[in-house]
Amino acid sequence: MTAWVATGIWCRPAASKALNLPKSKLSRRVAELEMRLGVRLIQRSSRTFLVTELGREFYRHARNMLAEAQAAESAVRSRLGPPSGTLRLACSPVAAALCLGTVLPGFLARFPQVRVEQRMLSRLDEMGARTADVYLVAHDGPLEDSSMVRRRLKAEPRHLFASAGHAATYAGVTRPADLTGCPLFVFAEAPGRLLLTPARERQDTILEGACIADSGLDLGPRLVSSDLGAVLSSVRAGMGVALLPASCGQDAVQRGDLVRVLPGWTGGTFEVSALLASSHGVLPAVRALIELIGDCFAGRLVDLPGMPSAPEPERYSQEEPA
């Protein structure tokens, strides 16, 4: 009706042209609408079709509905252009420590039309993780079963570090068994199985790495925390060794706070993933953030001896179930 009514008179030829529909089909649709409503909306004569009072009232409501639908479509289309609007970001504590401090300032500067609302969530099953536009989570093993779509943002090995002021204590450590009984401080989301294995370039010691569990080495951590500051403070005080993502340890080594322990060994792979409710209709702001994180960390881990380089980031089209 909204396309037919302008001044209270419906002109079939004009309406037919505007809607690109035959006049006969327009007449049939009006008749079907009147039959469904049980009222007459348009009084038909030989030359004109006059809109009734009920027809005018129906038209006013329909016009408002059409305006709201057009506004909704415009709002969606505006969000599918350059990144803008509000980005609802959920993040696990470790993922925030590894990514946000490095990436967010540049993201906000590059996209001034984006407003970020960030929440810290420790578990995927929290409601906020699924209602957010994107959920960043750090993990050192497979993610729990989820219908969400996963995009790997960064992956890096975990290494052992000790206080630079107590480096002499660990000068004689050449194999994992030498750390038996040494307090271990782990930066992670949650406790998990800890196993040291040789770095890939030391294939001659794979057998020793595979037999760590039988060597009596106790890898039970003294502290597992998602607070990087708590882990670093404990290690700087000389209380033991820390198992950290390579990037965290690399920064501390460059500052002169920590030194590597057992540089030929790693404590597994640490990953940061972006979880999305769907691979369809992803907001431009989400795509921009994901791409910026991948670009920021690609090739960054290359400075420490024995440290494998960071993997090439996957393209966004290669999503996989979590």
Side-chain angles (χ1 to χ4, degrees), residues 135-210:
Y135 177 45
L136 304 184
V137 59
H139 53 100
D140 56 3
L143 290 170
E144 58 192 87
D145 292 339
S146 172
S147 60
M148 302 183 77
V149 175
R150 181 173 79 96
R151 163 74 158 87
R152 189 178 70 168
L153 301 181
K154 64 179 296 191
E156 56 182 287
R158 294 193 298 181
H159 292 153
L160 290 171
F161 299 88
S163 168
H166 296 78
T169 305
Y170 305 98
V173 174
T174 59
R175 57 195 182 98
D178 295 335
L179 292 175
T180 301
C182 178
L184 181 64
F185 300 86
V186 180
F187 178 51
E189 300 284 4
R193 186 188 178 206
L194 302 176
L195 182 66
L196 293 178
T197 57
R200 293 178 181 177
E201 61 267 30
R202 293 188 54 184
Q203 298 296 326
D204 57 325
T205 59
I206 287 180
L207 180 61
E208 181 182 356

Coordinates of all heavy atoms in Angstrom, one line a residue, residues 135-210:
Y135 N 35.5 -13.2 20.7 CA 36.0 -13.6 22.0 C 37.4 -14.1 21.7 O 37.7 -15.1 21.0 CB 35.2 -14.7 22.6 CG 35.7 -15.3 23.9 CD1 36.2 -14.5 24.9 CD2 35.7 -16.7 24.1 CE1 36.6 -15.0 26.1 CE2 36.2 -17.2 25.3 CZ 36.7 -16.3 26.3 OH 37.1 -16.8 27.5
L136 N 38.4 -13.4 22.4 CA 39.8 -13.8 22.2 C 40.2 -14.7 23.4 O 39.9 -14.3 24.6 CB 40.7 -12.6 22.2 CG 40.4 -11.5 21.1 CD1 41.5 -10.4 21.2 CD2 40.4 -12.2 19.8
V137 N 40.7 -15.9 23.2 CA 41.1 -16.8 24.2 C 42.5 -17.4 24.0 O 42.9 -17.7 22.9 CB 40.0 -17.9 24.3 CG1 39.9 -18.7 23.0 CG2 40.3 -18.9 25.5
A138 N 43.2 -17.5 25.1 CA 44.5 -18.1 25.0 C 44.4 -19.6 25.6 O 43.7 -19.8 26.5 CB 45.5 -17.4 25.9
H139 N 45.1 -20.5 24.9 CA 45.0 -21.9 25.3 C 46.3 -22.6 25.0 O 47.0 -22.3 24.0 CB 43.8 -22.5 24.7 CG 43.7 -22.4 23.2 ND1 44.1 -23.4 22.3 CD2 43.3 -21.3 22.4 CE1 43.9 -23.0 21.1 NE2 43.5 -21.7 21.1
D140 N 46.6 -23.7 25.7 CA 47.8 -24.5 25.4 C 47.4 -25.9 25.1 O 48.2 -26.8 25.1 CB 48.8 -24.5 26.6 CG 48.1 -25.0 27.9 OD1 46.9 -25.3 27.9 OD2 48.7 -25.0 29.0
G141 N 46.2 -26.1 24.7 CA 45.7 -27.4 24.2 C 44.4 -27.2 23.4 O 44.0 -26.1 23.2
P142 N 43.8 -28.3 23.0 CA 42.5 -28.1 22.3 C 41.4 -27.4 23.1 O 41.3 -27.6 24.3 CB 42.1 -29.6 22.0 CG 43.4 -30.4 22.2 CD 44.2 -29.7 23.2
L143 N 40.7 -26.6 22.4 CA 39.6 -25.9 23.1 C 38.4 -26.9 23.3 O 38.3 -27.9 22.7 CB 39.1 -24.8 22.2 CG 40.0 -23.6 22.0 CD1 39.5 -22.6 20.9 CD2 40.1 -22.8 23.3
E144 N 37.7 -26.5 24.4 CA 36.5 -27.3 24.7 C 35.5 -27.3 23.5 O 35.5 -26.4 22.6 CB 35.8 -26.8 25.9 CG 35.4 -25.3 25.8 CD 34.9 -24.8 27.1 OE1 35.8 -24.3 27.8 OE2 33.7 -24.8 27.4
D145 N 34.7 -28.3 23.4 CA 33.7 -28.4 22.3 C 32.9 -27.2 22.2 O 32.4 -26.7 23.2 CB 32.8 -29.6 22.5 CG 33.6 -31.0 22.3 OD1 34.7 -30.9 21.7 OD2 33.1 -32.0 22.9
S146 N 32.8 -26.7 21.0 CA 32.0 -25.4 20.8 C 31.5 -25.4 19.4 O 32.1 -25.9 18.5 CB 32.9 -24.2 21.1 OG 32.2 -23.0 20.8
S147 N 30.4 -24.7 19.2 CA 29.8 -24.5 17.9 C 30.4 -23.2 17.3 O 30.0 -22.9 16.1 CB 28.3 -24.4 18.0 OG 27.9 -23.4 18.8
M148 N 31.2 -22.5 18.0 CA 31.7 -21.2 17.5 C 32.8 -21.5 16.5 O 33.5 -22.6 16.5 CB 32.3 -20.4 18.7 CG 31.2 -20.1 19.7 SD 31.8 -19.0 21.0 CE 31.8 -17.4 20.2
V149 N 33.1 -20.5 15.7 CA 34.1 -20.6 14.6 C 35.4 -20.1 15.2 O 35.5 -19.0 15.8 CB 33.7 -19.8 13.4 CG1 34.8 -19.8 12.3 CG2 32.4 -20.4 12.8
R150 N 36.5 -20.8 14.9 CA 37.8 -20.4 15.5 C 38.7 -19.9 14.4 O 38.8 -20.4 13.3 CB 38.5 -21.6 16.2 CG 39.8 -21.3 16.8 CD 40.4 -22.4 17.6 NE 41.0 -23.4 16.8 CZ 42.3 -23.5 16.5 NH1 43.1 -22.6 17.0 NH2 42.8 -24.5 15.8
R151 N 39.4 -18.9 14.7 CA 40.5 -18.3 13.9 C 41.7 -18.1 14.7 O 41.8 -17.4 15.7 CB 40.0 -16.9 13.3 CG 41.1 -16.1 12.7 CD 41.6 -16.6 11.4 NE 42.3 -15.5 10.6 CZ 43.6 -15.2 10.8 NH1 44.3 -15.9 11.6 NH2 44.1 -14.2 10.0
R152 N 42.8 -18.9 14.3 CA 44.0 -18.8 15.1 C 44.7 -17.5 14.8 O 45.0 -17.2 13.6 CB 45.0 -20.0 14.8 CG 46.2 -20.0 15.7 CD 47.0 -21.2 15.4 NE 47.8 -21.1 14.1 CZ 48.8 -21.8 13.8 NH1 49.1 -22.8 14.5 NH2 49.4 -21.6 12.6
L153 N 45.1 -16.7 15.8 CA 45.7 -15.4 15.7 C 47.2 -15.5 15.8 O 48.0 -14.8 15.1 CB 45.1 -14.4 16.7 CG 43.6 -14.2 16.6 CD1 43.2 -13.2 17.6 CD2 43.2 -13.8 15.2
K154 N 47.7 -16.3 16.8 CA 49.1 -16.4 17.0 C 49.4 -17.7 17.8 O 48.5 -18.2 18.5 CB 49.7 -15.2 17.8 CG 49.2 -15.1 19.3 CD 49.8 -13.9 20.0 CE 51.3 -14.1 20.2 NZ 51.8 -13.1 21.2
A155 N 50.5 -18.3 17.5 CA 51.0 -19.5 18.2 C 52.5 -19.4 18.4 O 53.2 -18.9 17.6 CB 50.7 -20.7 17.3
E156 N 52.9 -19.7 19.6 CA 54.3 -19.6 20.0 C 54.6 -20.6 21.1 O 53.8 -21.1 21.8 CB 54.5 -18.2 20.6 CG 53.7 -17.8 21.7 CD 54.0 -16.3 22.2 OE1 55.0 -16.1 22.8 OE2 53.1 -15.5 21.9
P157 N 55.9 -21.0 21.1 CA 56.3 -21.9 22.2 C 56.4 -21.3 23.5 O 56.4 -20.1 23.7 CB 57.7 -22.4 21.7 CG 58.2 -21.2 20.9 CD 57.0 -20.5 20.3
R158 N 56.3 -22.1 24.5 CA 56.6 -21.7 25.9 C 58.0 -22.1 26.3 O 58.4 -23.2 26.1 CB 55.5 -22.3 26.9 CG 54.1 -21.8 26.6 CD 53.2 -22.1 27.7 NE 53.0 -23.5 27.9 CZ 52.2 -24.1 28.8 NH1 51.5 -23.3 29.6 NH2 52.1 -25.4 28.9
H159 N 58.7 -21.2 27.0 CA 60.1 -21.5 27.4 C 60.2 -21.2 28.9 O 59.4 -20.6 29.5 CB 61.0 -20.6 26.6 CG 61.1 -20.9 25.2 ND1 61.5 -19.9 24.2 CD2 60.9 -22.0 24.5 CE1 61.5 -20.5 23.0 NE2 61.1 -21.7 23.2
L160 N 61.3 -21.8 29.4 CA 61.7 -21.6 30.8 C 62.6 -20.4 31.0 O 63.5 -20.2 30.2 CB 62.4 -22.9 31.3 CG 61.5 -24.1 31.5 CD1 62.4 -25.3 31.8 CD2 60.4 -23.9 32.5
F161 N 62.3 -19.6 32.0 CA 63.1 -18.4 32.3 C 63.3 -18.3 33.8 O 62.5 -18.8 34.6 CB 62.3 -17.1 31.9 CG 62.0 -17.1 30.4 CD1 60.9 -17.6 29.9 CD2 62.9 -16.5 29.5 CE1 60.6 -17.6 28.5 CE2 62.7 -16.4 28.2 CZ 61.5 -17.0 27.7
A162 N 64.4 -17.7 34.2 CA 64.8 -17.5 35.6 C 65.3 -16.0 35.7 O 65.6 -15.3 34.7 CB 65.9 -18.4 36.0
S163 N 65.3 -15.6 37.0 CA 65.8 -14.2 37.3 C 67.2 -14.0 36.8 O 68.1 -14.9 37.1 CB 65.6 -14.0 38.8 OG 66.3 -12.8 39.1
A164 N 67.5 -12.9 36.1 CA 68.8 -12.6 35.7 C 69.8 -12.5 36.9 O 71.0 -12.8 36.8 CB 68.9 -11.3 34.9
G165 N 69.2 -12.0 38.0 CA 70.0 -11.9 39.3 C 70.4 -13.2 39.9 O 71.3 -13.2 40.7
H166 N 69.8 -14.3 39.5 CA 70.1 -15.6 40.0 C 70.5 -16.6 38.9 O 70.3 -17.8 39.0 CB 68.8 -16.2 40.8 CG 68.4 -15.4 42.0 ND1 67.7 -14.2 41.9 CD2 68.6 -15.6 43.3 CE1 67.5 -13.8 43.1 NE2 68.0 -14.6 44.0
A167 N 71.0 -16.0 37.8 CA 71.4 -16.8 36.7 C 72.5 -17.9 37.1 O 72.5 -19.0 36.5 CB 72.0 -15.9 35.6
A168 N 73.3 -17.6 38.0 CA 74.4 -18.5 38.4 C 73.8 -19.8 39.0 O 74.4 -20.9 38.9 CB 75.3 -17.9 39.4
T169 N 72.6 -19.7 39.6 CA 72.0 -20.9 40.2 C 71.7 -21.9 39.1 O 71.7 -23.1 39.4 CB 70.7 -20.5 40.9 OG1 71.0 -19.4 41.9 CG2 70.0 -21.6 41.6
Y170 N 71.3 -21.5 37.9 CA 70.9 -22.4 36.9 C 72.0 -22.6 35.8 O 71.7 -23.1 34.7 CB 69.6 -21.8 36.2 CG 68.5 -21.6 37.3 CD1 68.3 -20.3 37.8 CD2 67.8 -22.7 37.8 CE1 67.3 -20.1 38.8 CE2 66.8 -22.4 38.7 CZ 66.6 -21.2 39.2 OH 65.6 -21.0 40.2
A171 N 73.2 -22.1 36.1 CA 74.3 -22.2 35.1 C 74.6 -23.7 34.7 O 74.9 -24.0 33.6 CB 75.5 -21.5 35.6
G172 N 74.4 -24.6 35.7 CA 74.7 -26.0 35.4 C 73.6 -26.8 34.9 O 73.7 -28.0 34.8
V173 N 72.4 -26.2 34.7 CA 71.2 -26.9 34.2 C 71.4 -27.2 32.7 O 71.4 -26.2 31.9 CB 69.9 -26.1 34.5 CG1 68.7 -26.8 33.9 CG2 69.8 -26.0 36.0
T174 N 71.5 -28.4 32.3 CA 71.7 -28.8 30.9 C 70.6 -29.7 30.4 O 70.5 -30.0 29.2 CB 73.0 -29.5 30.7 OG1 73.1 -30.6 31.5 CG2 74.2 -28.5 31.1
R175 N 69.8 -30.3 31.3 CA 68.7 -31.2 30.9 C 67.6 -31.1 31.9 O 67.8 -30.6 33.0 CB 69.2 -32.7 30.9 CG 69.8 -33.2 32.2 CD 70.6 -34.4 32.0 NE 71.1 -34.9 33.3 CZ 70.6 -35.9 34.0 NH1 69.4 -36.4 33.6 NH2 71.1 -36.3 35.1
P176 N 66.4 -31.4 31.5 CA 65.2 -31.2 32.4 C 65.3 -31.8 33.8 O 64.9 -31.3 34.7 CB 64.1 -31.8 31.6 CG 64.5 -31.7 30.2 CD 66.0 -31.9 30.2
A177 N 66.0 -33.0 33.9 CA 66.1 -33.6 35.2 C 66.9 -32.8 36.2 O 66.7 -33.0 37.4 CB 66.8 -35.0 35.0
D178 N 67.7 -31.9 35.7 CA 68.4 -31.0 36.6 C 67.5 -30.0 37.4 O 67.9 -29.4 38.4 CB 69.5 -30.2 35.9 CG 70.6 -31.1 35.3 OD1 70.8 -32.2 35.8 OD2 71.2 -30.7 34.3
L179 N 66.3 -29.9 36.9 CA 65.3 -29.0 37.6 C 64.4 -29.7 38.5 O 63.4 -29.1 39.0 CB 64.5 -28.3 36.5 CG 65.2 -27.3 35.6 CD1 64.3 -26.7 34.5 CD2 65.8 -26.1 36.4
T180 N 64.7 -31.0 38.8 CA 63.8 -31.7 39.7 C 63.7 -31.0 41.0 O 64.7 -30.7 41.7 CB 64.4 -33.2 39.9 OG1 64.4 -33.8 38.7 CG2 63.5 -33.9 40.9
G181 N 62.5 -30.8 41.5 CA 62.2 -30.1 42.8 C 62.3 -28.6 42.7 O 62.0 -28.0 43.7
C182 N 62.6 -28.1 41.6 CA 62.7 -26.6 41.5 C 61.3 -26.0 41.3 O 60.5 -26.5 40.5 CB 63.5 -26.2 40.2 SG 63.6 -24.4 40.0
P183 N 60.9 -25.0 42.2 CA 59.6 -24.4 42.0 C 59.3 -23.9 40.6 O 60.2 -23.2 40.1 CB 59.6 -23.3 43.1 CG 60.7 -23.7 44.1 CD 61.7 -24.4 43.2
L184 N 58.2 -24.2 40.1 CA 57.8 -23.8 38.8 C 56.6 -22.8 38.8 O 55.6 -23.1 39.5 CB 57.5 -25.0 37.9 CG 57.1 -24.7 36.5 CD1 58.2 -24.1 35.7 CD2 56.6 -26.0 35.8
F185 N 56.7 -21.7 38.1 CA 55.6 -20.7 38.1 C 55.1 -20.6 36.6 O 55.9 -20.3 35.7 CB 56.1 -19.4 38.6 CG 56.6 -19.4 40.0 CD1 58.0 -19.8 40.3 CD2 55.8 -19.1 41.0 CE1 58.4 -19.9 41.6 CE2 56.2 -19.2 42.4 CZ 57.5 -19.6 42.6
V186 N 53.9 -20.8 36.4 CA 53.3 -21.0 35.1 C 52.3 -19.9 34.8 O 51.4 -19.6 35.6 CB 52.6 -22.3 34.9 CG1 52.1 -22.5 33.5 CG2 53.6 -23.5 35.2
F187 N 52.5 -19.2 33.7 CA 51.5 -18.2 33.2 C 50.5 -18.9 32.3 O 50.9 -19.3 31.1 CB 52.3 -17.1 32.5 CG 51.4 -16.0 31.9 CD1 50.4 -15.4 32.7 CD2 51.5 -15.6 30.6 CE1 49.6 -14.4 32.2 CE2 50.7 -14.6 30.1 CZ 49.7 -14.0 30.9
A188 N 49.3 -19.1 32.7 CA 48.3 -19.9 31.9 C 46.9 -19.6 32.4 O 46.8 -19.0 33.5 CB 48.6 -21.4 32.0
E189 N 45.9 -19.9 31.7 CA 44.5 -19.7 32.1 C 44.1 -20.7 33.1 O 43.4 -20.4 34.0 CB 43.6 -19.9 30.8 CG 43.9 -19.0 29.7 CD 43.3 -17.6 30.0 OE1 42.8 -17.3 31.1 OE2 43.4 -16.7 29.1
A190 N 44.6 -21.9 33.1 CA 44.2 -23.0 34.0 C 45.2 -24.0 34.1 O 46.1 -24.2 33.2 CB 42.8 -23.6 33.6
P191 N 45.3 -24.8 35.2 CA 46.3 -25.9 35.3 C 46.1 -26.9 34.2 O 45.0 -27.1 33.7 CB 46.0 -26.5 36.7 CG 45.2 -25.4 37.4 CD 44.5 -24.7 36.4
G192 N 47.2 -27.5 33.8 CA 47.1 -28.5 32.7 C 48.4 -29.4 32.8 O 49.3 -29.1 33.6
R193 N 48.5 -30.4 32.0 CA 49.6 -31.2 32.0 C 50.8 -30.5 31.4 O 50.7 -29.8 30.3 CB 49.4 -32.5 31.1 CG 50.5 -33.5 31.2 CD 50.3 -34.6 30.2 NE 51.4 -35.5 30.2 CZ 51.7 -36.3 29.2 NH1 51.0 -36.2 28.1 NH2 52.7 -37.2 29.3
L194 N 51.9 -30.5 32.1 CA 53.1 -29.8 31.7 C 54.2 -30.8 31.3 O 54.5 -31.7 32.0 CB 53.7 -28.9 32.8 CG 52.7 -27.9 33.3 CD1 53.3 -27.1 34.4 CD2 52.3 -26.9 32.2
L195 N 54.7 -30.7 30.1 CA 55.7 -31.6 29.6 C 56.7 -30.9 28.7 O 56.4 -30.2 27.8 CB 55.1 -32.7 28.7 CG 56.0 -33.8 28.2 CD1 56.5 -34.7 29.3 CD2 55.2 -34.7 27.2
L196 N 58.0 -31.0 29.1 CA 59.1 -30.4 28.3 C 59.5 -31.3 27.2 O 59.7 -32.5 27.4 CB 60.3 -30.1 29.2 CG 60.1 -29.0 30.3 CD1 61.4 -28.8 31.1 CD2 59.7 -27.7 29.7
T197 N 59.7 -30.8 26.0 CA 60.1 -31.5 24.9 C 61.2 -30.8 24.2 O 61.3 -29.6 24.3 CB 59.0 -31.8 23.9 OG1 58.4 -30.5 23.5 CG2 57.9 -32.6 24.5
P198 N 62.1 -31.5 23.5 CA 63.2 -30.8 22.8 C 62.6 -29.9 21.7 O 61.6 -30.2 21.1 CB 64.0 -32.0 22.2 CG 63.6 -33.2 22.9 CD 62.2 -32.9 23.3
A199 N 63.4 -28.8 21.4 CA 63.0 -28.0 20.3 C 63.2 -28.8 19.0 O 64.0 -29.7 19.0 CB 63.9 -26.7 20.3
R200 N 62.6 -28.4 17.9 CA 62.6 -29.2 16.7 C 64.0 -29.4 16.1 O 64.3 -30.4 15.5 CB 61.7 -28.5 15.7 CG 60.2 -28.5 16.0 CD 59.4 -27.9 15.0 NE 58.0 -27.9 15.4 CZ 57.0 -27.3 14.7 NH1 57.3 -26.6 13.6 NH2 55.8 -27.3 15.1
E201 N 64.8 -28.4 16.4 CA 66.2 -28.5 15.7 C 67.1 -29.5 16.5 O 68.1 -29.8 16.0 CB 66.9 -27.1 15.7 CG 67.1 -26.5 17.1 CD 65.9 -25.6 17.5 OE1 64.8 -25.9 17.0 OE2 66.2 -24.6 18.2
R202 N 66.6 -30.1 17.6 CA 67.4 -31.0 18.4 C 66.8 -32.4 18.3 O 66.4 -33.0 19.2 CB 67.6 -30.6 19.8 CG 68.4 -29.3 20.0 CD 68.6 -29.0 21.5 NE 69.2 -30.2 22.1 CZ 69.5 -30.2 23.4 NH1 69.2 -29.2 24.2 NH2 70.0 -31.3 24.0
Q203 N 66.8 -32.9 17.1 CA 66.2 -34.2 16.9 C 66.9 -35.4 17.6 O 66.3 -36.4 17.9 CB 66.1 -34.5 15.4 CG 65.3 -33.5 14.6 CD 63.8 -33.6 15.0 OE1 63.3 -34.7 15.3 NE2 63.2 -32.4 14.9
D204 N 68.2 -35.2 17.9 CA 69.0 -36.2 18.5 C 68.6 -36.4 20.0 O 69.0 -37.4 20.6 CB 70.5 -35.9 18.5 CG 70.8 -34.5 19.1 OD1 69.9 -33.6 19.0 OD2 71.8 -34.4 19.8
T205 N 67.8 -35.6 20.6 CA 67.4 -35.7 22.0 C 65.9 -36.0 22.1 O 65.4 -35.9 23.2 CB 67.8 -34.5 22.8 OG1 67.1 -33.3 22.2 CG2 69.2 -34.2 22.8
I206 N 65.2 -36.4 21.0 CA 63.8 -36.6 21.1 C 63.5 -37.7 22.1 O 62.6 -37.7 22.9 CB 63.2 -36.9 19.7 CG1 63.1 -35.7 18.9 CG2 61.8 -37.6 19.8 CD1 62.6 -35.9 17.5
L207 N 64.3 -38.8 22.1 CA 64.1 -39.9 23.0 C 64.1 -39.5 24.4 O 63.3 -39.9 25.2 CB 65.1 -41.0 22.7 CG 65.0 -42.3 23.6 CD1 63.6 -42.9 23.3 CD2 66.1 -43.3 23.3
E208 N 65.1 -38.7 24.8 CA 65.2 -38.2 26.2 C 63.9 -37.4 26.5 O 63.4 -37.5 27.6 CB 66.4 -37.3 26.3 CG 66.6 -36.8 27.8 CD 67.8 -35.9 27.9 OE1 68.6 -35.7 27.0 OE2 68.0 -35.4 29.0
G209 N 63.5 -36.5 25.6 CA 62.3 -35.8 25.8 C 61.1 -36.6 26.0 O 60.2 -36.3 26.9
A210 N 61.0 -37.7 25.3 CA 59.8 -38.6 25.4 C 59.8 -39.4 26.7 O 58.8 -39.8 27.1 CB 59.8 -39.6 24.2

